[in-house]
Amino acid sequence: MGKNGRPQDPDIIIEKNGSITHLISIKNTLATNSPKSFEKDSEVIKYLMSKNGPNQVFNNGIVDIHRIDNIRHEEYKDFKSITVVFSKVPDRHQRAIDIIHEAYLRDQYQNVHGRN
């Protein structure tokens, strides 16, 4: 259960002694979407959108970091995360990823499109 009272089901977690050490999120693609009403109240979402600018798109990468942050509470607050994206990241979404990398050092995105 997340800190906002909503359940979160991460793709992959790695644990040690009952604590999450790493969370891995899998994305086929980064896509434009609209924040749900409860997501609009998130401090993480508000911060990222303020940095991303009013004319920039809201994408599922931003939603993903919100969900990861929602898991970070109580005994699960110190893990690192990586989101693996399997398709090419459009420029309009790369800006949000760059902002996430600057703001949240323990959360990383890796694009594996085109890698063998």
Side-chain angles (χ1 to χ4, degrees):
M1 186 67 61
K3 63 184 169 187
N4 69 356
R6 303 182 75 82
Q8 299 294 311
D9 295 317
D11 295 321
I12 301 168
I13 58 170
I14 300 170
E15 294 181 307
K16 184 176 181 180
N17 299 325
S19 290
I20 298 172
T21 60
H22 294 81
L23 182 146
I24 303 169
S25 180
I26 307 296
K27 296 280 178 245
N28 184 44
T29 187
L30 291 184
T32 301
N33 57 11
S34 297
K36 296 177 178 135
S37 58
F38 70 89
E39 292 169 338
K40 290 178 185 178
D41 295 332
S42 160
E43 292 303 316
V44 170
I45 298 279
K46 288 177 186 176
Y47 174 77
L48 291 173
M49 290 309 293
S50 74
K51 296 297 270 181
N52 204 18
N55 298 323
Q56 298 297 320
V57 296
F58 183 84
N59 66 44
N60 58 344
I62 292 174
V63 172
D64 197 49
I65 209 70
H66 160 70
R67 292 179 180 153
I68 291 167
D69 183 68
N70 191 40
I71 295 169
R72 276 197 179 105
H73 69 100
E74 298 175 2
E75 71 269 20
Y76 303 121
K77 62 182 174 191
D78 294 323
F79 63 87
K80 294 179 181 181
S81 77
I82 184 166
T83 298
V84 180
V85 181
F86 284 93
S87 62
K88 186 174 184 325
V89 175
D91 291 341
R92 68 184 185 278
H93 297 304
Q94 186 60 50
R95 176 169 165 73
I97 300 307
D98 293 342
I99 292 167
I100 290 167
H101 283 168
E102 290 171 13
Y104 304 99
L105 297 176
R106 60 186 173 184
D107 301 306
Q108 295 295 308
Y109 282 74
Q110 289 295 315
N111 184 289
V112 295
H113 173 75
R115 291 187 186 174
N116 293 328

